[in-house]
Amino acid sequence: MRYEHFIYQEHGFVGHLAAPDSVCDKAVIVMMGGEKSLLPGIKIAERFADYGITGPAVSLFGAAGLPDSPDRIPLEMFESALRCLADRGYSHISTYGMSMGSIFAALTAVYFGGVENVILVSPTHVPFEGTDKSKKHMSGHSVATFRGEDIPFVSADFSDGKAAKYQKAPAADYPVMGMWISYYNAYQDKVREQEAFLPLEKSNARILLIAGDKDEAWPSAYSVRKMEAYLTGVKYEKEVAAVIYKNVSHLTGMMPNREREKLLYRLLPFVGLMYKSFGKYQKECLAAIEDAEKTIIEWINYEES
């Protein structure tokens, strides 16, 4: 496996690339979180490389040249990543966004084109308001910008400081984090929700949507259903698939190589403390991760006859 690192000042984006030793023409831009996330994007990029697909992981914030928190992240840096891959001869490019990264995986294809597949895991269907590093104070601006202007967004209020605390919610039949409630409440502003809805029909890409119906962090299954219904309503001509796993957590989709990351997998009991659905339904969650990985790789490798 080959590695390469990118810095904002030189390349226009911050990222870490894992490529297979063999020659390939497929690449997936991995978008997940910040430079120092608990689950680093490079581990997911490596997993794609295991399947013969180059996986550059692009950091959203928290590195030199980037915002220090999820706030006003410029879409232009993903255009730089696309150009970098095209210049290196990759003719089949996909975007993979998990959680917050789903916003940028979608918008990259919408704003810049040249993307064959958009894969959104535990996604949201709308951009949201940015926050400071503490995630307690809202910025009043979008999490994403283009040419210095805010991308339309909804506002989720985290000011009570209970974003990571588990609570009961009338709209959920399982324990959810405070942030789940904040996002669900934000989606009830139907005017702003409609204004901010990701215009996926402009992506001209095949779209794969994946979520668990026991997502603790935000209502991603709701978002998957909304996006699928929207694309059906606009008679989107490209292929769309939506997969919602029963009793599955926010943590799904591609995960690090189990053999290479044995220490990480020994920490699964601690993951269950943070993500309660994962802890309660670990068997179902692990099975969903395995199935989602197979589905994602098959989706990327699909070739029209």
Side-chain angles (χ1 to χ4, degrees), residues 103 124-128 152-154 187 192-194 196-198 223:
I103 297 168
T124 175
H125 59 293
V126 289
F128 47 79
F153 63 96
V154 300
Y187 299 159
R192 291 192 69 172
E193 182 188 37
Q194 183 175 355
F197 208 106
L198 294 169
S223 291

Side-chain angles (χ1 to χ4, degrees), residues 15-305:
H16 309 281
L17 179 145
D21 292 324
S22 58
V23 176
C24 66
D25 63 354
K26 291 185 174 71
V28 179
I29 303 177
V30 176
M31 309 173 193
M32 293 176 54
E35 177 72 2
K36 298 179 181 179
S37 294
L38 290 175
L39 179 58
I42 185 60
K43 298 299 181 185
I44 307 307
E46 289 175 341
R47 191 61 182 140
F48 279 114
D50 288 338
Y51 285 97
I53 303 166
T54 294
V58 176
S59 300
L60 305 184
F61 57 90
L66 303 184
D68 63 2
S69 64
D71 181 44
R72 286 169 277 187
I73 297 168
L75 291 183
E76 287 83 353
M77 66 186 190
F78 304 103
E79 183 180 25
S80 298
L82 281 172
R83 189 183 306 117
C84 177
L85 291 172
D87 289 347
R88 291 165 185 240
Y90 291 98
S91 54
H92 303 283
I93 300 174
S94 303
T95 58
Y96 174 90
M98 180 188 177
S99 192
M100 181 198 313
S102 63
I103 297 168
F104 300 94
L107 291 176
T108 296
V110 167
Y111 276 77
F112 307 119
V115 174
E116 286 191 355
N117 303 292
V118 172
I119 301 161
L120 308 181
V121 177
S122 300
T124 175
H125 59 293
V126 289
F128 47 79
E129 186 175 357
T131 67
D132 66 5
K133 292 175 72 172
S134 73
K135 296 186 179 180
K136 295 179 181 179
H137 304 289
M138 314 310 292
S139 71
H141 293 275
S142 178
V143 71
T145 64
F146 180 64
R147 295 178 179 170
E149 297 294 325
D150 282 350
I151 302 294
F153 63 96
V154 300
S155 293
D157 185 5
F158 298 145
S159 61
D160 64 4
K162 297 180 180 179
K165 294 182 179 179
Y166 279 87
Q167 305 173 43
K168 292 182 179 180
D173 60 359
Y174 60 99
V176 296
M177 297 179 186
M179 67 172 65
W180 192 104
I181 298 170
S182 295
Y183 285 116
Y184 182 81
N185 290 341
Y187 299 159
Q188 305 319 301
D189 184 338
K190 295 304 177 182
V191 173
R192 291 192 69 172
E193 182 188 37
Q194 183 175 355
E195 291 173 348
F197 208 106
L198 294 169
L200 287 166
E201 76 278 10
K202 297 179 182 178
S203 69
N204 197 36
R206 297 170 67 245
I207 298 171
L208 175 61
L209 309 168
I210 296 175
D213 71 353
K214 293 290 190 291
D215 189 323
E216 316 90 327
W218 62 17
S220 60
Y222 169 85
S223 291
V224 163
R225 294 186 180 102
K226 291 285 286 188
M227 288 187 282
E228 183 183 28
Y230 173 78
L231 290 166
T232 299
V234 299
K235 296 180 171 58
Y236 187 58
E237 295 183 353
K238 293 282 187 173
E239 186 178 2
V240 177
V243 181
I244 298 176
Y245 292 106
K246 183 176 176 59
N247 294 334
V248 167
S249 162
H250 188 72
L251 292 179
T252 194
M254 301 294 289
M255 288 291 155
N257 182 296
R258 184 180 286 267
E259 289 300 313
R260 197 164 48 237
E261 304 295 338
K262 291 181 179 179
L263 177 60
L264 182 64
Y265 279 89
R266 289 196 198 104
L267 299 176
L268 284 179
F270 297 98
V271 173
L273 294 176
M274 183 180 298
Y275 292 94
K276 290 193 173 183
S277 293
F278 193 98
K280 183 175 182 179
Y281 302 106
Q282 187 174 127
K283 182 178 178 180
E284 291 94 328
C285 289
L286 290 175
I289 287 170
E290 184 176 337
D291 185 76
E293 181 174 288
K294 179 176 179 289
T295 299
I296 290 164
I297 297 303
E298 288 179 350
W299 190 266
I300 292 169
N301 286 331
Y302 171 82
E303 293 183 8
E304 294 184 7
S305 57

